[in-house]
Amino acid sequence: MPAVRLADGDLNYLLEGPAGAPVLVLSNSLGTDLHMWDAQIEAFTQHFQVLRYDTRGHGASLVTDGPYSIEQSGRDVLALLDALGIAKAHFCGLSMGGLIGQWLGINAPERIERLVLCNTAAKIGTPEVWNPRIETVLAGGAQAMRDLRDASISRWFTADFAEANPDKVEPIVGMLAQTSPEGYAANCAAVRDADFREQLGSIVAPTLIVCGSGDPVTTPEHGRFMQERIAGAELVEFHAAHLSNVQAGDDFSQRVLVFLTAEHSFL
């Protein structure tokens, strides 16, 4: 796969779709890689050049010493866009990717056309949640990541979906088991420390917020909190847990495309 050389290592990416089309950036969740978006690519590349990448600490991208920050990951995205000569793009991020999208919307509004914030929140969890996980992963290494894989199924997918669709669930949770423990822990710290609750009102990009009715991590209430503070934001809720793009599949893809391609009148 192609990579962009950052100051401290390579950022792995894929750019697919018709040259000259508007660019849509896809940003992965904590513990997955760019392939978490595989189900969306056929639909999205009908309209966009789709740029997806492995966030620092994930997949085939660089793993540097932690802790990381969401600002650092946001600046990685800007460096990727700069290296590819992309002045402005749509951005769709899920969970941690949604935090990165919020940072970009707040701090680099001139680079973002439209923003899709999926299964995310202005603040996700507390130190009491994240610190024990960081300690466990750093102490347990690869085995701890395999243990997390099993524990994550119930957070990422509703029970009925997980039971009926092992062919869709297994490849996704397998990404978590293969994630670098050091990279995962460093990104846990980035999610732990991110708090955009007081800054959401400065987002000016047209925004769609995607929620899962069965998401135990970033609930629909978190989505409504963001919608109330981002002028003109739309919100859609699917029957899904945390990885709504996988569980809602085609419905997710089509709703995002409606938002990104329709003519809108925003505040």
PDB file of all heavy atoms in Angstrom, residues 26-63:
ATOM      1  N   LEU A  26     -11.898   9.003   5.107  1.00  0.00           N
ATOM      2  CA  LEU A  26     -12.503   8.111   6.090  1.00  0.00           C
ATOM      3  C   LEU A  26     -11.485   7.821   7.190  1.00  0.00           C
ATOM      4  O   LEU A  26     -10.342   7.464   6.907  1.00  0.00           O
ATOM      5  CB  LEU A  26     -12.935   6.797   5.434  1.00  0.00           C
ATOM      6  CG  LEU A  26     -13.930   6.897   4.274  1.00  0.00           C
ATOM      7  CD1 LEU A  26     -14.227   5.508   3.703  1.00  0.00           C
ATOM      8  CD2 LEU A  26     -15.224   7.578   4.712  1.00  0.00           C
ATOM      9  N   SER A  27     -11.912   7.964   8.443  1.00  0.00           N
ATOM     10  CA  SER A  27     -11.007   7.816   9.585  1.00  0.00           C
ATOM     11  C   SER A  27     -11.510   6.726  10.512  1.00  0.00           C
ATOM     12  O   SER A  27     -12.658   6.751  10.964  1.00  0.00           O
ATOM     13  CB  SER A  27     -10.908   9.153  10.329  1.00  0.00           C
ATOM     14  OG  SER A  27      -9.969   9.102  11.371  1.00  0.00           O
ATOM     15  N   ASN A  28     -10.630   5.770  10.832  1.00  0.00           N
ATOM     16  CA  ASN A  28     -11.037   4.558  11.543  1.00  0.00           C
ATOM     17  C   ASN A  28     -11.232   4.770  13.039  1.00  0.00           C
ATOM     18  O   ASN A  28     -10.780   5.748  13.629  1.00  0.00           O
ATOM     19  CB  ASN A  28     -10.024   3.425  11.319  1.00  0.00           C
ATOM     20  CG  ASN A  28      -8.610   3.764  11.752  1.00  0.00           C
ATOM     21  OD1 ASN A  28      -7.876   4.426  11.015  1.00  0.00           O
ATOM     22  ND2 ASN A  28      -8.200   3.309  12.925  1.00  0.00           N
ATOM     23  N   SER A  29     -11.905   3.811  13.641  1.00  0.00           N
ATOM     24  CA  SER A  29     -12.133   3.805  15.083  1.00  0.00           C
ATOM     25  C   SER A  29     -10.912   3.245  15.808  1.00  0.00           C
ATOM     26  O   SER A  29     -10.017   2.653  15.199  1.00  0.00           O
ATOM     27  CB  SER A  29     -13.364   2.958  15.421  1.00  0.00           C
ATOM     28  OG  SER A  29     -13.137   1.602  15.062  1.00  0.00           O
ATOM     29  N   LEU A  30     -10.902   3.418  17.110  1.00  0.00           N
ATOM     30  CA  LEU A  30      -9.838   2.868  17.942  1.00  0.00           C
ATOM     31  C   LEU A  30      -9.815   1.347  17.813  1.00  0.00           C
ATOM     32  O   LEU A  30     -10.830   0.685  18.011  1.00  0.00           O
ATOM     33  CB  LEU A  30     -10.086   3.277  19.401  1.00  0.00           C
ATOM     34  CG  LEU A  30      -9.116   2.760  20.456  1.00  0.00           C
ATOM     35  CD1 LEU A  30      -7.731   3.363  20.262  1.00  0.00           C
ATOM     36  CD2 LEU A  30      -9.646   3.092  21.849  1.00  0.00           C
ATOM     37  N   GLY A  31      -8.652   0.803  17.478  1.00  0.00           N
ATOM     38  CA  GLY A  31      -8.507  -0.645  17.409  1.00  0.00           C
ATOM     39  C   GLY A  31      -8.859  -1.276  16.082  1.00  0.00           C
ATOM     40  O   GLY A  31      -8.893  -2.509  15.978  1.00  0.00           O
ATOM     41  N   THR A  32      -9.134  -0.460  15.057  1.00  0.00           N
ATOM     42  CA  THR A  32      -9.371  -1.011  13.719  1.00  0.00           C
ATOM     43  C   THR A  32      -8.377  -0.371  12.749  1.00  0.00           C
ATOM     44  O   THR A  32      -7.520   0.409  13.145  1.00  0.00           O
ATOM     45  CB  THR A  32     -10.812  -0.754  13.232  1.00  0.00           C
ATOM     46  OG1 THR A  32     -11.018   0.649  13.048  1.00  0.00           O
ATOM     47  CG2 THR A  32     -11.827  -1.298  14.229  1.00  0.00           C
ATOM     48  N   ASP A  33      -8.507  -0.710  11.469  1.00  0.00           N
ATOM     49  CA  ASP A  33      -7.669  -0.073  10.458  1.00  0.00           C
ATOM     50  C   ASP A  33      -8.547   0.379   9.302  1.00  0.00           C
ATOM     51  O   ASP A  33      -9.777   0.336   9.385  1.00  0.00           O
ATOM     52  CB  ASP A  33      -6.524  -0.996  10.013  1.00  0.00           C
ATOM     53  CG  ASP A  33      -7.007  -2.312   9.404  1.00  0.00           C
ATOM     54  OD1 ASP A  33      -8.041  -2.310   8.691  1.00  0.00           O
ATOM     55  OD2 ASP A  33      -6.351  -3.346   9.610  1.00  0.00           O
ATOM     56  N   LEU A  34      -7.929   0.810   8.227  1.00  0.00           N
ATOM     57  CA  LEU A  34      -8.693   1.389   7.114  1.00  0.00           C
ATOM     58  C   LEU A  34      -9.678   0.412   6.485  1.00  0.00           C
ATOM     59  O   LEU A  34     -10.638   0.823   5.820  1.00  0.00           O
ATOM     60  CB  LEU A  34      -7.752   1.982   6.069  1.00  0.00           C
ATOM     61  CG  LEU A  34      -6.698   1.113   5.379  1.00  0.00           C
ATOM     62  CD1 LEU A  34      -7.288   0.258   4.260  1.00  0.00           C
ATOM     63  CD2 LEU A  34      -5.592   2.006   4.803  1.00  0.00           C
ATOM     64  N   HIS A  35      -9.481  -0.886   6.719  1.00  0.00           N
ATOM     65  CA  HIS A  35     -10.397  -1.871   6.127  1.00  0.00           C
ATOM     66  C   HIS A  35     -11.744  -1.934   6.853  1.00  0.00           C
ATOM     67  O   HIS A  35     -12.656  -2.623   6.385  1.00  0.00           O
ATOM     68  CB  HIS A  35      -9.744  -3.245   6.092  1.00  0.00           C
ATOM     69  CG  HIS A  35      -8.637  -3.327   5.091  1.00  0.00           C
ATOM     70  ND1 HIS A  35      -8.864  -3.265   3.737  1.00  0.00           N
ATOM     71  CD2 HIS A  35      -7.286  -3.403   5.253  1.00  0.00           C
ATOM     72  CE1 HIS A  35      -7.700  -3.338   3.090  1.00  0.00           C
ATOM     73  NE2 HIS A  35      -6.741  -3.410   3.985  1.00  0.00           N
ATOM     74  N   MET A  36     -11.887  -1.219   7.976  1.00  0.00           N
ATOM     75  CA  MET A  36     -13.214  -1.183   8.609  1.00  0.00           C
ATOM     76  C   MET A  36     -14.240  -0.528   7.693  1.00  0.00           C
ATOM     77  O   MET A  36     -15.446  -0.696   7.887  1.00  0.00           O
ATOM     78  CB  MET A  36     -13.154  -0.434   9.947  1.00  0.00           C
ATOM     79  CG  MET A  36     -12.945   1.060   9.839  1.00  0.00           C
ATOM     80  SD  MET A  36     -13.337   1.973  11.361  1.00  0.00           S
ATOM     81  CE  MET A  36     -15.124   2.081  11.259  1.00  0.00           C
ATOM     82  N   TRP A  37     -13.779   0.198   6.662  1.00  0.00           N
ATOM     83  CA  TRP A  37     -14.656   0.894   5.724  1.00  0.00           C
ATOM     84  C   TRP A  37     -14.893   0.107   4.445  1.00  0.00           C
ATOM     85  O   TRP A  37     -15.506   0.639   3.507  1.00  0.00           O
ATOM     86  CB  TRP A  37     -14.068   2.258   5.369  1.00  0.00           C
ATOM     87  CG  TRP A  37     -13.902   3.175   6.536  1.00  0.00           C
ATOM     88  CD1 TRP A  37     -12.744   3.490   7.178  1.00  0.00           C
ATOM     89  CD2 TRP A  37     -14.931   3.915   7.209  1.00  0.00           C
ATOM     90  NE1 TRP A  37     -12.984   4.382   8.201  1.00  0.00           N
ATOM     91  CE2 TRP A  37     -14.316   4.656   8.241  1.00  0.00           C
ATOM     92  CE3 TRP A  37     -16.318   4.017   7.018  1.00  0.00           C
ATOM     93  CZ2 TRP A  37     -15.046   5.492   9.095  1.00  0.00           C
ATOM     94  CZ3 TRP A  37     -17.047   4.844   7.866  1.00  0.00           C
ATOM     95  CH2 TRP A  37     -16.400   5.576   8.887  1.00  0.00           C
ATOM     96  N   ASP A  38     -14.441  -1.132   4.363  1.00  0.00           N
ATOM     97  CA  ASP A  38     -14.538  -1.891   3.105  1.00  0.00           C
ATOM     98  C   ASP A  38     -15.962  -1.917   2.548  1.00  0.00           C
ATOM     99  O   ASP A  38     -16.166  -1.822   1.332  1.00  0.00           O
ATOM    100  CB  ASP A  38     -14.050  -3.327   3.310  1.00  0.00           C
ATOM    101  CG  ASP A  38     -12.532  -3.439   3.329  1.00  0.00           C
ATOM    102  OD1 ASP A  38     -11.849  -2.423   3.097  1.00  0.00           O
ATOM    103  OD2 ASP A  38     -12.034  -4.554   3.592  1.00  0.00           O
ATOM    104  N   ALA A  39     -16.957  -2.044   3.420  1.00  0.00           N
ATOM    105  CA  ALA A  39     -18.348  -2.171   2.952  1.00  0.00           C
ATOM    106  C   ALA A  39     -18.861  -0.887   2.309  1.00  0.00           C
ATOM    107  O   ALA A  39     -19.847  -0.918   1.570  1.00  0.00           O
ATOM    108  CB  ALA A  39     -19.264  -2.571   4.105  1.00  0.00           C
ATOM    109  N   GLN A  40     -18.196   0.243   2.580  1.00  0.00           N
ATOM    110  CA  GLN A  40     -18.650   1.523   2.032  1.00  0.00           C
ATOM    111  C   GLN A  40     -17.993   1.873   0.695  1.00  0.00           C
ATOM    112  O   GLN A  40     -18.490   2.764  -0.017  1.00  0.00           O
ATOM    113  CB  GLN A  40     -18.343   2.653   3.024  1.00  0.00           C
ATOM    114  CG  GLN A  40     -19.380   2.840   4.110  1.00  0.00           C
ATOM    115  CD  GLN A  40     -19.453   1.699   5.094  1.00  0.00           C
ATOM    116  OE1 GLN A  40     -18.456   1.317   5.692  1.00  0.00           O
ATOM    117  NE2 GLN A  40     -20.646   1.141   5.270  1.00  0.00           N
ATOM    118  N   ILE A  41     -16.897   1.235   0.350  1.00  0.00           N
ATOM    119  CA  ILE A  41     -16.067   1.732  -0.744  1.00  0.00           C
ATOM    120  C   ILE A  41     -16.789   1.680  -2.094  1.00  0.00           C
ATOM    121  O   ILE A  41     -16.722   2.634  -2.882  1.00  0.00           O
ATOM    122  CB  ILE A  41     -14.736   0.965  -0.807  1.00  0.00           C
ATOM    123  CG1 ILE A  41     -13.951   1.187   0.495  1.00  0.00           C
ATOM    124  CG2 ILE A  41     -13.910   1.416  -1.997  1.00  0.00           C
ATOM    125  CD1 ILE A  41     -13.735   2.644   0.865  1.00  0.00           C
ATOM    126  N   GLU A  42     -17.506   0.610  -2.390  1.00  0.00           N
ATOM    127  CA  GLU A  42     -18.178   0.511  -3.690  1.00  0.00           C
ATOM    128  C   GLU A  42     -19.167   1.660  -3.874  1.00  0.00           C
ATOM    129  O   GLU A  42     -19.213   2.295  -4.939  1.00  0.00           O
ATOM    130  CB  GLU A  42     -18.889  -0.828  -3.822  1.00  0.00           C
ATOM    131  CG  GLU A  42     -19.580  -0.997  -5.172  1.00  0.00           C
ATOM    132  CD  GLU A  42     -20.248  -2.351  -5.340  1.00  0.00           C
ATOM    133  OE1 GLU A  42     -20.119  -3.206  -4.445  1.00  0.00           O
ATOM    134  OE2 GLU A  42     -20.909  -2.543  -6.384  1.00  0.00           O
ATOM    135  N   ALA A  43     -19.954   1.958  -2.849  1.00  0.00           N
ATOM    136  CA  ALA A  43     -20.941   3.035  -2.958  1.00  0.00           C
ATOM    137  C   ALA A  43     -20.269   4.404  -2.974  1.00  0.00           C
ATOM    138  O   ALA A  43     -20.625   5.272  -3.787  1.00  0.00           O
ATOM    139  CB  ALA A  43     -21.932   2.951  -1.801  1.00  0.00           C
ATOM    140  N   PHE A  44     -19.304   4.600  -2.101  1.00  0.00           N
ATOM    141  CA  PHE A  44     -18.699   5.926  -1.978  1.00  0.00           C
ATOM    142  C   PHE A  44     -17.887   6.308  -3.212  1.00  0.00           C
ATOM    143  O   PHE A  44     -17.830   7.484  -3.584  1.00  0.00           O
ATOM    144  CB  PHE A  44     -17.815   5.993  -0.730  1.00  0.00           C
ATOM    145  CG  PHE A  44     -18.579   6.096   0.567  1.00  0.00           C
ATOM    146  CD1 PHE A  44     -17.902   6.124   1.781  1.00  0.00           C
ATOM    147  CD2 PHE A  44     -19.964   6.167   0.609  1.00  0.00           C
ATOM    148  CE1 PHE A  44     -18.575   6.225   2.989  1.00  0.00           C
ATOM    149  CE2 PHE A  44     -20.664   6.259   1.801  1.00  0.00           C
ATOM    150  CZ  PHE A  44     -19.961   6.287   3.005  1.00  0.00           C
ATOM    151  N   THR A  45     -17.223   5.328  -3.840  1.00  0.00           N
ATOM    152  CA  THR A  45     -16.392   5.665  -5.003  1.00  0.00           C
ATOM    153  C   THR A  45     -17.215   5.923  -6.259  1.00  0.00           C
ATOM    154  O   THR A  45     -16.652   6.298  -7.286  1.00  0.00           O
ATOM    155  CB  THR A  45     -15.356   4.557  -5.286  1.00  0.00           C
ATOM    156  OG1 THR A  45     -16.023   3.291  -5.381  1.00  0.00           O
ATOM    157  CG2 THR A  45     -14.293   4.500  -4.200  1.00  0.00           C
ATOM    158  N   GLN A  46     -18.522   5.762  -6.174  1.00  0.00           N
ATOM    159  CA  GLN A  46     -19.372   6.197  -7.287  1.00  0.00           C
ATOM    160  C   GLN A  46     -19.442   7.716  -7.365  1.00  0.00           C
ATOM    161  O   GLN A  46     -19.788   8.277  -8.411  1.00  0.00           O
ATOM    162  CB  GLN A  46     -20.788   5.632  -7.116  1.00  0.00           C
ATOM    163  CG  GLN A  46     -20.872   4.122  -7.101  1.00  0.00           C
ATOM    164  CD  GLN A  46     -20.377   3.485  -8.389  1.00  0.00           C
ATOM    165  OE1 GLN A  46     -20.778   3.884  -9.475  1.00  0.00           O
ATOM    166  NE2 GLN A  46     -19.487   2.517  -8.243  1.00  0.00           N
ATOM    167  N   HIS A  47     -19.116   8.372  -6.268  1.00  0.00           N
ATOM    168  CA  HIS A  47     -19.261   9.825  -6.188  1.00  0.00           C
ATOM    169  C   HIS A  47     -17.973  10.549  -5.806  1.00  0.00           C
ATOM    170  O   HIS A  47     -17.846  11.743  -6.073  1.00  0.00           O
ATOM    171  CB  HIS A  47     -20.325  10.178  -5.152  1.00  0.00           C
ATOM    172  CG  HIS A  47     -21.666   9.570  -5.418  1.00  0.00           C
ATOM    173  ND1 HIS A  47     -22.627  10.194  -6.184  1.00  0.00           N
ATOM    174  CD2 HIS A  47     -22.190   8.378  -5.028  1.00  0.00           C
ATOM    175  CE1 HIS A  47     -23.702   9.418  -6.246  1.00  0.00           C
ATOM    176  NE2 HIS A  47     -23.466   8.314  -5.553  1.00  0.00           N
ATOM    177  N   PHE A  48     -17.048   9.848  -5.151  1.00  0.00           N
ATOM    178  CA  PHE A  48     -15.888  10.507  -4.557  1.00  0.00           C
ATOM    179  C   PHE A  48     -14.600   9.754  -4.837  1.00  0.00           C
ATOM    180  O   PHE A  48     -14.608   8.540  -5.078  1.00  0.00           O
ATOM    181  CB  PHE A  48     -16.053  10.590  -3.023  1.00  0.00           C
ATOM    182  CG  PHE A  48     -17.246  11.373  -2.586  1.00  0.00           C
ATOM    183  CD1 PHE A  48     -18.414  10.724  -2.192  1.00  0.00           C
ATOM    184  CD2 PHE A  48     -17.221  12.757  -2.574  1.00  0.00           C
ATOM    185  CE1 PHE A  48     -19.528  11.448  -1.792  1.00  0.00           C
ATOM    186  CE2 PHE A  48     -18.334  13.491  -2.178  1.00  0.00           C
ATOM    187  CZ  PHE A  48     -19.484  12.837  -1.787  1.00  0.00           C
ATOM    188  N   GLN A  49     -13.492  10.497  -4.767  1.00  0.00           N
ATOM    189  CA  GLN A  49     -12.208   9.862  -4.514  1.00  0.00           C
ATOM    190  C   GLN A  49     -12.160   9.629  -3.019  1.00  0.00           C
ATOM    191  O   GLN A  49     -12.260  10.573  -2.226  1.00  0.00           O
ATOM    192  CB  GLN A  49     -11.047  10.772  -4.933  1.00  0.00           C
ATOM    193  CG  GLN A  49     -10.489  10.454  -6.306  1.00  0.00           C
ATOM    194  CD  GLN A  49      -9.099  11.017  -6.484  1.00  0.00           C
ATOM    195  OE1 GLN A  49      -8.860  12.198  -6.273  1.00  0.00           O
ATOM    196  NE2 GLN A  49      -8.169  10.175  -6.891  1.00  0.00           N
ATOM    197  N   VAL A  50     -12.034   8.391  -2.614  1.00  0.00           N
ATOM    198  CA  VAL A  50     -12.085   8.047  -1.198  1.00  0.00           C
ATOM    199  C   VAL A  50     -10.662   7.831  -0.684  1.00  0.00           C
ATOM    200  O   VAL A  50      -9.920   6.981  -1.189  1.00  0.00           O
ATOM    201  CB  VAL A  50     -12.933   6.792  -0.962  1.00  0.00           C
ATOM    202  CG1 VAL A  50     -12.929   6.404   0.513  1.00  0.00           C
ATOM    203  CG2 VAL A  50     -14.376   7.030  -1.431  1.00  0.00           C
ATOM    204  N   LEU A  51     -10.302   8.622   0.302  1.00  0.00           N
ATOM    205  CA  LEU A  51      -8.990   8.546   0.930  1.00  0.00           C
ATOM    206  C   LEU A  51      -9.175   7.975   2.331  1.00  0.00           C
ATOM    207  O   LEU A  51      -9.772   8.605   3.195  1.00  0.00           O
ATOM    208  CB  LEU A  51      -8.360   9.944   1.001  1.00  0.00           C
ATOM    209  CG  LEU A  51      -7.050  10.081   1.773  1.00  0.00           C
ATOM    210  CD1 LEU A  51      -5.952   9.206   1.177  1.00  0.00           C
ATOM    211  CD2 LEU A  51      -6.626  11.556   1.815  1.00  0.00           C
ATOM    212  N   ARG A  52      -8.707   6.755   2.535  1.00  0.00           N
ATOM    213  CA  ARG A  52      -8.754   6.170   3.873  1.00  0.00           C
ATOM    214  C   ARG A  52      -7.336   5.842   4.310  1.00  0.00           C
ATOM    215  O   ARG A  52      -6.460   5.586   3.473  1.00  0.00           O
ATOM    216  CB  ARG A  52      -9.664   4.938   3.920  1.00  0.00           C
ATOM    217  CG  ARG A  52      -9.461   3.925   2.812  1.00  0.00           C
ATOM    218  CD  ARG A  52     -10.467   2.795   2.905  1.00  0.00           C
ATOM    219  NE  ARG A  52     -10.416   1.936   1.722  1.00  0.00           N
ATOM    220  CZ  ARG A  52     -10.695   0.639   1.714  1.00  0.00           C
ATOM    221  NH1 ARG A  52     -11.035   0.034   2.843  1.00  0.00           N
ATOM    222  NH2 ARG A  52     -10.658  -0.058   0.591  1.00  0.00           N
ATOM    223  N   TYR A  53      -7.109   5.852   5.590  1.00  0.00           N
ATOM    224  CA  TYR A  53      -5.747   5.725   6.100  1.00  0.00           C
ATOM    225  C   TYR A  53      -5.779   5.017   7.454  1.00  0.00           C
ATOM    226  O   TYR A  53      -6.820   4.964   8.117  1.00  0.00           O
ATOM    227  CB  TYR A  53      -5.105   7.114   6.239  1.00  0.00           C
ATOM    228  CG  TYR A  53      -5.705   7.950   7.336  1.00  0.00           C
ATOM    229  CD1 TYR A  53      -5.066   8.088   8.564  1.00  0.00           C
ATOM    230  CD2 TYR A  53      -6.957   8.563   7.186  1.00  0.00           C
ATOM    231  CE1 TYR A  53      -5.637   8.827   9.594  1.00  0.00           C
ATOM    232  CE2 TYR A  53      -7.535   9.299   8.208  1.00  0.00           C
ATOM    233  CZ  TYR A  53      -6.874   9.423   9.410  1.00  0.00           C
ATOM    234  OH  TYR A  53      -7.444  10.134  10.433  1.00  0.00           O
ATOM    235  N   ASP A  54      -4.649   4.462   7.840  1.00  0.00           N
ATOM    236  CA  ASP A  54      -4.502   3.884   9.172  1.00  0.00           C
ATOM    237  C   ASP A  54      -4.018   4.975  10.120  1.00  0.00           C
ATOM    238  O   ASP A  54      -2.928   5.526   9.944  1.00  0.00           O
ATOM    239  CB  ASP A  54      -3.471   2.753   9.168  1.00  0.00           C
ATOM    240  CG  ASP A  54      -3.922   1.520   8.391  1.00  0.00           C
ATOM    241  OD1 ASP A  54      -5.139   1.292   8.316  1.00  0.00           O
ATOM    242  OD2 ASP A  54      -3.049   0.791   7.879  1.00  0.00           O
ATOM    243  N   THR A  55      -4.838   5.300  11.118  1.00  0.00           N
ATOM    244  CA  THR A  55      -4.427   6.282  12.111  1.00  0.00           C
ATOM    245  C   THR A  55      -3.125   5.835  12.773  1.00  0.00           C
ATOM    246  O   THR A  55      -2.882   4.643  12.971  1.00  0.00           O
ATOM    247  CB  THR A  55      -5.524   6.430  13.181  1.00  0.00           C
ATOM    248  OG1 THR A  55      -6.752   6.744  12.524  1.00  0.00           O
ATOM    249  CG2 THR A  55      -5.192   7.513  14.180  1.00  0.00           C
ATOM    250  N   ARG A  56      -2.283   6.791  13.083  1.00  0.00           N
ATOM    251  CA  ARG A  56      -1.038   6.525  13.807  1.00  0.00           C
ATOM    252  C   ARG A  56      -1.272   5.499  14.918  1.00  0.00           C
ATOM    253  O   ARG A  56      -2.222   5.612  15.701  1.00  0.00           O
ATOM    254  CB  ARG A  56      -0.529   7.839  14.404  1.00  0.00           C
ATOM    255  CG  ARG A  56       0.715   7.746  15.259  1.00  0.00           C
ATOM    256  CD  ARG A  56       1.011   9.075  15.915  1.00  0.00           C
ATOM    257  NE  ARG A  56       1.370  10.105  14.933  1.00  0.00           N
ATOM    258  CZ  ARG A  56       2.613  10.515  14.678  1.00  0.00           C
ATOM    259  NH1 ARG A  56       3.630  10.000  15.365  1.00  0.00           N
ATOM    260  NH2 ARG A  56       2.830  11.456  13.779  1.00  0.00           N
ATOM    261  N   GLY A  57      -0.409   4.481  14.977  1.00  0.00           N
ATOM    262  CA  GLY A  57      -0.553   3.437  15.986  1.00  0.00           C
ATOM    263  C   GLY A  57      -1.402   2.267  15.554  1.00  0.00           C
ATOM    264  O   GLY A  57      -1.567   1.302  16.311  1.00  0.00           O
ATOM    265  N   HIS A  58      -1.956   2.318  14.329  1.00  0.00           N
ATOM    266  CA  HIS A  58      -2.847   1.277  13.830  1.00  0.00           C
ATOM    267  C   HIS A  58      -2.362   0.747  12.486  1.00  0.00           C
ATOM    268  O   HIS A  58      -1.679   1.447  11.730  1.00  0.00           O
ATOM    269  CB  HIS A  58      -4.265   1.825  13.647  1.00  0.00           C
ATOM    270  CG  HIS A  58      -4.962   2.150  14.916  1.00  0.00           C
ATOM    271  ND1 HIS A  58      -4.723   3.302  15.633  1.00  0.00           N
ATOM    272  CD2 HIS A  58      -5.928   1.483  15.611  1.00  0.00           C
ATOM    273  CE1 HIS A  58      -5.494   3.330  16.709  1.00  0.00           C
ATOM    274  NE2 HIS A  58      -6.237   2.235  16.714  1.00  0.00           N
ATOM    275  N   GLY A  59      -2.792  -0.479  12.176  1.00  0.00           N
ATOM    276  CA  GLY A  59      -2.565  -1.040  10.850  1.00  0.00           C
ATOM    277  C   GLY A  59      -1.105  -0.995  10.450  1.00  0.00           C
ATOM    278  O   GLY A  59      -0.208  -1.380  11.209  1.00  0.00           O
ATOM    279  N   ALA A  60      -0.857  -0.503   9.230  1.00  0.00           N
ATOM    280  CA  ALA A  60       0.499  -0.440   8.688  1.00  0.00           C
ATOM    281  C   ALA A  60       1.133   0.936   8.855  1.00  0.00           C
ATOM    282  O   ALA A  60       2.186   1.204   8.279  1.00  0.00           O
ATOM    283  CB  ALA A  60       0.483  -0.831   7.214  1.00  0.00           C
ATOM    284  N   SER A  61       0.493   1.815   9.626  1.00  0.00           N
ATOM    285  CA  SER A  61       1.065   3.142   9.863  1.00  0.00           C
ATOM    286  C   SER A  61       2.076   3.108  11.007  1.00  0.00           C
ATOM    287  O   SER A  61       2.213   2.124  11.736  1.00  0.00           O
ATOM    288  CB  SER A  61      -0.042   4.158  10.174  1.00  0.00           C
ATOM    289  OG  SER A  61      -0.732   4.537   9.007  1.00  0.00           O
ATOM    290  N   LEU A  62       2.779   4.229  11.140  1.00  0.00           N
ATOM    291  CA  LEU A  62       3.812   4.366  12.154  1.00  0.00           C
ATOM    292  C   LEU A  62       3.275   4.144  13.562  1.00  0.00           C
ATOM    293  O   LEU A  62       2.125   4.478  13.871  1.00  0.00           O
ATOM    294  CB  LEU A  62       4.462   5.743  12.062  1.00  0.00           C
ATOM    295  CG  LEU A  62       3.648   6.986  12.478  1.00  0.00           C
ATOM    296  CD1 LEU A  62       4.583   8.180  12.599  1.00  0.00           C
ATOM    297  CD2 LEU A  62       2.510   7.300  11.517  1.00  0.00           C
ATOM    298  N   VAL A  63       4.102   3.532  14.396  1.00  0.00           N
ATOM    299  CA  VAL A  63       3.837   3.409  15.827  1.00  0.00           C
ATOM    300  C   VAL A  63       4.967   4.132  16.543  1.00  0.00           C
ATOM    301  O   VAL A  63       6.106   3.663  16.540  1.00  0.00           O
ATOM    302  CB  VAL A  63       3.765   1.941  16.280  1.00  0.00           C
ATOM    303  CG1 VAL A  63       3.508   1.861  17.783  1.00  0.00           C
ATOM    304  CG2 VAL A  63       2.690   1.183  15.512  1.00  0.00           C
TER     305      VAL A  63
END
